[in-house]
Structure formats: structure tokens, C-alpha cells
Amino acid sequence: MTIDGILCSVIAYELNLSLSGGRVDKVFQPSLDTIVLHIRTNAGVKHLIISVNCGHARIGLTDNPPENPAMPPSFCMLLRKYISGARIESVSNPGYERIIEISLSNTDELKDRKTYTLTTELMGRFSNIILINPGGKIIDSAIHVDSQMSRVREVMPARIYEYPPVQDKMTIDQALDLSRDRLLPISNEEVARPIDKALVNSILGLSPMMAKQLIGQCDIDIRSNAKLLTDDNISNLCKVLSDYFKTIINKEYKPRLYFRDDKTPAEIALVPLSGFASYKEYRSVSEVFDACYDSYTVSKSLNDSKKALLSNVDSALSRLSKKYEAHKQDLEEGKRSEKYRMYGDLILTSVHSIEQGAKSAVLPDYTDLDADGNPKQIEISLNPALSATDNANDYYKRYRKAKRKLQLSEDYIKDDEESIQYLRSLRAAILAADTDADIKALKEEIRQDSKPEKKETTSSGDPNRMVGKAKSGKASSRALRQAAQLAAARNNRKKQGKSEPLPFRRYMTDDGYEILCGRNNIQNDRLTFSVASPDDYWFHVKGIPGTHVIVKSHPGEEFPSDAAVTKAASIAAYFSKSILLEQHQASDMKCDVDYCKVSHIKKIPGAKPGMVIYEGYYSITVTAEAPGEDLNAQ
């Protein structure tokens, strides 16, 4: 996001119109880098937000000020001391720098009227909020900059405030005069540099992004310098520059917010730009900043929620993978059970030929004969501290243990594989989440999945026998505690009420087919087995976790249209894209999607939500593509 000196001059102009003559009613500091002033004007109370966040610095009016902390920071208390009740004399921008100055007059302890300056510097990671006294000294700042941080310019209390080093550039008024005369507004020292850099280094407040946009309107190669431009090039560029400068000077601009393909904000501009997916026009620069910041806040909140959910799921996957490997080792151990039994049998068969204290014994294996029919010899390890009979019993004990491991590990491995598959599907759904509704649905699924299973209780009427196996305290006390817990749980359920289920993702094809898509595994189950009709078509990526996609069938049709099938399949692939990326390491990979009638889908008894089996299906190979706008988006 580009904030240049020209944009700052426009911000100062708009704020001066809105706030001049107003009084500072309240001062808040929601965060260490953000100040909010409540200003009482003839048009009502206005909220001025000043943020020097290194990634999203801004100053402007807002209708949605952030919440305030219970305890104000020290810089907020200092501002309240000096500018609470102050009258705003003016808002200005000095020399097209990225600086906004708010001049405020207030009375001090001796009732003398003094003028303070609240200076906002919008300079990326060097942004700052500085309060300056009438003598030009810094009272304090949001961020202290000492000599170790900057040898050029200190920003510390009691220091004289100095502007950033002066740039030897022309103003846009001077550049406009040159452009009208068909002279490029480029200083002599810059004529040999690329044209975009020459303009930026010659005109105050012009950003590299804006210079490239203006040059692009003239079809000029930005790598060319002023000496290589033709007369037509110069004439066209002078006209474009002249129009731009007149738009700013005459305040005929139209603030716009430009978006990328993924609908995230890209640039703020006062004139039309090219090369962006879309834009939206606003009445003021403050409204643009507000919209941009709201988008950033929503995006950050969504990303933070996804990161937290992914952390939980990845942690569970890590633990489960370790269990899975341990169970696989138990399975391999279990497969050796018959060998242990055979060793025990062979030792008992030759017990009299085994010497006490031997570390091993070479015995005939009657289960394995050579070509002449004689048993082969096999060496068996022994514990020298045990007798031959005890060694045989030890092998029998290992046999029984390994056999038990074999029986249990097979069940455990099956359960582990189902759980890993379920967690991978949950992870894919989290990565595919792009709205608050998606996150809410996934949190609900995780919450339900983490509920403890309901313990079976006897039907005995004695409450003291229904309190579980706890041994602490008297039985009657335990019963009272449990009754209190149950009552509290019932009250919580009553307070929460029955919440409405979240809507599915919903899309429409160009030929009128409705496509529904689950946001999580619980919705997948409900969509497939409760909402879809038997004649609707069900889509799912082959062999990997993913969402259930349903194409609503039209009456009397055996199959949906080819376009509907392709779109539904690409949607199914899109919401499994994270798994596909893990497997293929490509962003435009193709994958197979299975589809069939809903009547061919069956729920696996006792399986996790979203896990099904199906038959009589077709397959289609598609590319994962974004599905477009969700018609049920909130």
C-alpha cells in the first residue's frame, strides 16, 4: 500500500475541512501504535484514528474506532494532559512530505493559551506520532528514536523537532508549469536515469508506483531515459503529468481502492490505475483507509483463527503419527509370536542336552527339513541365568505377549489410519476456509469431536452408587458435587439455546444448476444424508480427504449437464487443494474426482464424520479452480 506525499497533502486537506474548529473531547490509545481522538465539531462527534503500524500506517476519520484498553498507556495519559479540550486550529501537510500536522490550541495550568502540534509521520517502518510544544521541542512520541537507532535524526523528549532531511525537488505546482510548456519536470541531474526514477527524484511527493502508472499511460518503456524520448513521447507524458497535477491541485480527484485477484486491497489512488482486478470508489480518503483497514483486520483475524486451528490439528496429527508408528512396531513384533512359541517347544524337546548357564543352544528344527529329510540346525539365544525350562517358559511368555500385541495392534492401526484420515480432512478444510462462517463451522466440529463420551450408568436409584470410581471424600459429598455440576451444565445449555446450523457453501452454474458444498465434516454428513435427495449427484476427490459437493438434479434428468459436472468436480478439487499440493507440489495440478448418485453413498458404521463408502461411480479429471462467489456468504 503506497502512501506518498501527494496523498498526504490530500488527507490533510480533507481533515482540515472536517476538523478545523473542532475540540478534542476524548483521547484513547487502543494499542501502542494507534491513537484515537474523539473530536466534537458542528457536524457532531468525529473519530480521528492515527495508526503508525509499520504495515498499515494511516490517519483519517473512522466510524468504527477500535476498543480501548482498561488501563491507558503512558503516552495516552500525556496526550490527555496537553490536548484534552484543545481546539483544532488547522491540519496541514508541510511541503508534500509524508507528514500530517495538527495544530491545537489549549490553556496550560496558568490559563495561558498555547499552541501544540500533533505530528504524524507516515513513513513505513519509521512512522511515528509526536507531540511538540510551542517552542518546537518534543514533549513525547509514540516511538522513541535515540542516537543508536538513528544517527541522522533523534526523536526523543526534550529534543528540538526537526523535519526529515530536505529534498532538492520541485513541487507539483512547479512541475505543472513545466508540463504545460511541454517540458519534462525532470532536474538536470536526473536526465540520464530511467524515466520513472527521474520523475520520482525530481518531484516532491510522487511515489514510484504512481510514476510507473503515469508513464504506462503513454506506452513509454520505463527503462528509457529522458534523452531517448521522442517529441511525441514527451508531448504525451507532459499531458498525462499535467492532467494528474491539475487533478490534485484543483481537488478533482476520486479516491479509489484497488483490489488484487483474490479481492485483497492492493493500492489507494486518487486517479484511475491499470493492472488491477477491480476497484471501488469512495467519497473521501478516510473512507478508503477505513475500508482497507477493515479488510486487513478481517483477513488477519481469519488467518489468526486458521493458524490456531492448524496448530491444534497438527499437534494431534503429530501425536497420532507417533502412536501409529508404535502400533506398527507392535504389529511387527506380533508377527514373530509363532517363532517364540517354536523356540519354547524346541528348548523343551532338548531340555536335557542344554547345559546350565549356556548363552545359546544349537537345536534341531523338526519343522524345517533338508533335502535328505533331516532337520536343520537352528541357534536359539538363551538367558544364562535361567534353566532350560525357565528359558522355554520365557519364550512362551514372549509368545503370549506378542500374540496379544498382534491382535490389538491390528485394531489400533485401523483406528489410527481412520483418525489420521479424518484429521487430514479437517486440516484440508481449515486451509480452504476463507470466511468467518467456515471457521465457525470448523470450531464447532472440533468442539463436538472433543466432547468426552457419555459414560454408561446403572439405573440404580441410589445416587451414591452413580458417582463413578472417585475415592476422595464421602459418597454423599461426591453425589452433591456431581449434582451441582449437572445442574450447571443444564443451565449453560439453556442459556446457549439451540443455535441455527450454518449454511452450506452455495454456487450456481451458468446453466442453472445449484451446487452445495460442506464447510466441515459434520456438514458433509448432513449435506449428503439429510439435505441431498437420492437423485442428486455427489462429488469427492478420489482417494484423499476433502469436502462433499452436491449437484441438485433437475426433475426428469438422468445426468446433470457437462458444465455442471465439470464445475462441481473443480470445486471438490479446489477444497482439497492443500492435500493435492502436498502430493504434487504444483499449483495447477489435475486430479481425479469421483461422482455418483447420492443413493449410492453409504455411511461407514461407527466411522468419523464425513467418511463414507460408495459404488457405481464415474470419474472425471479436472483442475482445481476457485469456485467464485459463495451465494450464502455472510
Side-chain angles (χ1 to χ4, degrees):
M1 197 72 65
T2 303
I3 300 179
D4 58 19
I6 293 175
L7 181 60
C8 285
S9 71
V10 171
I11 296 170
Y13 165 76
E14 290 185 353
L15 293 179
N16 188 59
L17 289 179
S18 300
L19 303 179
S20 184
R23 286 189 179 276
V24 178
D25 193 22
K26 297 177 181 178
V27 181
F28 297 106
Q29 189 173 0
S31 63
L32 293 178
D33 55 20
T34 302
I35 295 293
V36 176
L37 305 181
H38 291 207
I39 301 170
R40 192 171 298 278
T41 69
N42 293 333
V45 176
K46 296 183 182 294
H47 308 288
L48 177 68
I49 184 167
I50 306 172
S51 174
V52 289
N53 180 286
C54 60
H56 299 273
R58 64 161 173 162
I59 178 172
L61 301 178
T62 180
D63 293 328
N64 302 301
E67 294 183 2
N68 303 303
M71 182 67 67
S74 58
F75 185 57
C76 177
M77 297 298 291
L78 180 136
L79 290 177
R80 289 178 180 177
K81 174 183 177 181
Y82 285 97
I83 67 173
S84 285
R87 181 182 294 278
I88 296 178
E89 300 294 342
S90 64
V91 182
S92 59
N93 164 245
Y96 295 100
E97 293 286 353
R98 290 177 292 171
I99 296 173
I100 308 292
E101 294 180 336
I102 303 175
S103 179
L104 307 111
S105 63
N106 203 5
T107 54
D108 60 10
E109 295 87 346
L110 301 175
K111 304 301 180 182
D112 294 328
R113 182 156 292 276
K114 294 187 176 181
T115 301
Y116 301 94
T117 304
L118 186 64
T119 299
T120 303
E121 299 180 345
L122 302 174
M123 300 177 180
R125 62 191 181 96
F126 301 109
S127 299
N128 209 342
I129 305 171
I130 306 165
L131 182 64
I132 304 167
N133 70 11
K137 287 187 176 181
I138 297 173
I139 299 175
D140 205 352
S141 60
I143 302 169
H144 290 176
V145 181
D146 58 19
S147 57
Q148 293 182 342
M149 298 173 66
S150 174
R151 291 176 296 177
V152 177
R153 182 169 170 263
E154 286 187 82
V155 180
M156 296 289 290
R159 304 290 199 280
I160 295 292
Y161 176 75
E162 296 179 353
Y163 288 121
V166 177
Q167 303 178 72
D168 186 18
K169 298 181 182 181
M170 66 185 81
T171 65
I172 61 172
D173 303 82
Q174 296 168 329
L176 175 60
D177 292 337
L178 291 174
S179 299
R180 283 172 172 168
D181 296 334
R182 293 295 183 265
L183 296 174
L184 286 176
I186 295 176
S187 60
N188 295 331
E189 296 81 6
E190 302 294 330
V191 292
R193 297 174 66 86
I195 188 67
D196 61 326
K197 294 181 180 179
L199 288 173
V200 171
N201 293 339
S202 301
I203 303 172
L204 276 171
L206 184 66
S207 67
M209 182 277 298
M210 198 66 236
K212 291 177 181 178
Q213 284 284 335
L214 295 172
I215 294 168
Q217 295 179 29
C218 306
D219 294 327
I220 297 174
D221 188 349
I222 61 173
R223 294 172 296 182
S224 302
N225 58 44
K227 294 179 180 179
L228 300 177
L229 297 182
T230 65
D231 291 341
D232 288 341
N233 291 150
I234 294 174
S235 178
N236 291 337
L237 183 56
C238 285
K239 183 179 185 309
V240 169
L241 291 172
S242 176
D243 291 342
Y244 174 63
F245 298 143
K246 283 192 293 185
T247 299
I248 303 301
I249 294 170
N250 297 334
K251 304 299 183 289
E252 296 172 346
Y253 57 84
K254 293 181 179 179
R256 293 179 178 183
L257 180 58
Y258 287 84
F259 299 91
R260 303 182 183 91
D261 292 333
D262 59 358
K263 298 182 181 179
T264 56
E267 286 293 347
I268 295 172
L270 304 172
V271 294
L273 302 182
S274 60
F276 297 96
S278 60
Y279 72 89
K280 188 174 180 181
E281 200 168 286
Y282 294 85
R283 292 176 298 178
S284 67
V285 177
S286 291
E287 288 186 1
V288 179
F289 274 126
D290 235 13
C292 182
Y293 186 80
D294 287 346
S295 177
Y296 158 73
T297 303
V298 170
S299 177
K300 184 177 184 301
S301 175
L302 184 68
N303 288 334
D304 289 347
S305 298
K306 289 173 69 172
K307 190 179 295 184
L309 292 177
L310 280 174
S311 176
N312 292 336
V313 172
D314 287 342
S315 177
L317 265 173
S318 177
R319 291 195 302 270
L320 194 57
S321 297
K322 291 178 182 178
K323 286 175 58 180
Y324 179 62
E325 291 301 322
H327 292 151
K328 284 176 67 177
Q329 291 178 5
D330 288 346
L331 181 64
E332 293 302 317
E333 177 73 14
K335 289 178 180 179
R336 293 194 287 269
S337 61
E338 290 301 321
K339 182 178 70 174
Y340 297 144
R341 184 184 61 79
M342 182 188 72
Y343 286 175
D345 291 344
L346 292 178
I347 292 172
L348 286 181
T349 302
S350 308
V351 66
H352 298 294
S353 63
I354 299 175
E355 296 182 1
Q356 179 68 32
K359 294 183 179 180
S360 64
V362 179
L363 303 175
D365 181 6
Y366 296 100
T367 64
D368 188 9
L369 305 178
D370 59 17
D372 297 329
N374 298 319
K376 293 181 179 180
Q377 299 297 309
I378 184 171
E379 185 176 1
I380 301 175
S381 298
L382 300 175
N383 184 346
L386 302 176
S387 65
T389 302
D390 288 341
N391 269 294
N393 289 332
D394 183 59
Y395 273 112
Y396 286 138
K397 182 178 179 181
R398 291 166 70 178
Y399 158 71
R400 290 190 295 271
K401 186 176 180 180
K403 188 176 180 180
R404 181 62 176 164
K405 280 185 177 181
L406 181 64
Q407 294 171 345
L408 292 177
S409 59
E410 289 176 344
D411 294 334
Y412 289 154
I413 286 174
K414 182 180 178 182
D415 185 64
D416 290 343
E417 288 174 345
E418 289 180 356
S419 297
I420 288 173
Q421 187 81 347
Y422 171 72
L423 287 175
R424 289 187 71 205
S425 70
L426 198 58
R427 193 176 192 279
I430 293 170
L431 290 172
D434 54 8
T435 64
D436 288 337
D438 295 342
I439 296 297
K440 186 177 179 182
L442 290 164
K443 285 181 177 178
E444 179 66 17
E445 177 177 351
I446 293 173
R447 186 183 67 81
Q448 291 189 21
D449 187 59
S450 62
K451 283 182 180 177
E453 293 184 3
K454 200 171 184 179
K455 294 182 178 179
E456 293 184 2
T457 57
T458 63
S459 58
S460 171
D462 184 1
N464 296 333
R465 297 183 180 180
M466 300 172 63
V467 295
K469 298 180 180 180
K471 299 297 182 182
S472 59
K474 295 181 179 179
S476 58
S477 298
R478 295 199 304 270
L480 289 173
R481 287 198 298 271
Q482 188 183 51
Q485 291 171 356
L486 293 173
R490 282 196 298 270
N491 289 336
N492 287 335
R493 287 196 294 271
K494 287 179 182 179
K495 289 178 181 179
Q496 290 174 356
K498 189 175 181 181
S499 58
E500 291 294 325
L502 289 168
F504 305 107
R505 296 187 182 101
R506 179 171 170 265
Y507 309 98
M508 292 295 294
T509 65
D510 294 336
D511 51 355
Y513 283 89
E514 182 182 18
I515 299 177
L516 299 176
C517 180
R519 297 179 190 272
N520 62 10
N521 289 301
I522 295 175
Q523 278 202 349
N524 287 339
D525 269 4
R526 187 160 62 88
L527 176 60
T528 301
F529 297 109
S530 300
V531 175
S533 64
D535 289 331
D536 293 340
Y537 271 81
W538 176 90
F539 291 75
H540 195 282
V541 176
K542 182 188 287 289
I544 64 172
T547 189
H548 293 198
V549 177
I550 297 292
V551 173
K552 301 294 289 181
S553 60
H554 288 176
E557 279 189 349
E558 180 65 21
F559 289 98
S561 68
D562 291 344
V565 169
T566 302
K567 183 173 179 64
S570 68
I571 290 173
Y574 177 79
F575 288 112
S576 298
K577 194 172 182 181
S578 60
I579 304 295
L580 296 173
L581 283 169
E582 289 177 5
Q583 294 183 353
H584 299 277
Q585 298 299 313
S587 59
D588 58 348
M589 83 298 292
K590 291 187 176 181
C591 66
D592 293 333
V593 176
D594 294 339
Y595 65 100
C596 62
K597 283 192 173 183
V598 172
S599 57
H600 295 175
I601 311 297
K602 293 181 181 179
K603 177 70 179 173
I604 302 175
K608 294 279 188 181
M611 294 188 176
V612 298
I613 54 176
Y614 53 94
E615 59 186 7
Y617 61 89
Y618 305 91
S619 293
I620 181 174
T621 302
V622 295
T623 300
E625 295 180 356
E629 184 178 359
D630 178 7
L631 301 180
N632 281 339
Q634 295 182 344

